[in-house]
Amino acid sequence: MLRKLFERNGYIAVEAESGGEALAVIRGEQPPDAIVCDVMMPGMSGLEFYERLADEAPSLGRRTVFLSGSSSVAAVHHAIERLGVPLLAKLNDLQLVVDAVRLSLAQAEQG
């Protein structure tokens, strides 16, 4: 559903089933401009993925938006907050995710 929403807003969306698969996409010929990442994923958590992302593609760090069904859990919220990237609840209006990505891309262009 989220992929279709991004496509309707003019983005090309690539889905990955796990953090490892997402890292492979990032290493590919056309790395993404932004990342939307679940906090809880199979194989590695979103936080573990973010650490690897920051090592391999630091410019994507500020262009990451986290989603979680546990966004109101203090430990999750504080861990993401320390990274300085947005955290949105999965139950929020999905257009907010597109808007958060749009904002992170605009901020990255400004420097």
Side-chain angles (χ1 to χ4, degrees), residues 3 6 10-11 14 22 28 31 39 44 48 51 68-69 71 76 84 95 97-98 104:
R3 179 184 50 78
F6 272 104
Y11 294 98
V14 177
V39 174
M44 75 175 73
E48 292 168 321
E51 287 178 23
S68 179
S71 62
V76 171
Q95 185 61 46
V97 180
V98 175
S104 69

Side-chain angles (χ1 to χ4, degrees), residues 36-79:
V36 176
C37 182
D38 198 344
V39 174
M40 304 301 284
M41 300 186 301
M44 75 175 73
S45 73
L47 292 171
E48 292 168 321
F49 168 78
Y50 188 87
E51 287 178 23
R52 303 257 317 263
L53 174 69
D55 287 341
E56 295 187 33
S59 65
L60 281 172
R62 292 287 178 206
R63 292 181 275 149
T64 299
V65 174
F66 278 99
L67 296 178
S68 179
S70 304
S71 62
S72 61
V73 174
V76 171
H77 180 78
H78 293 305

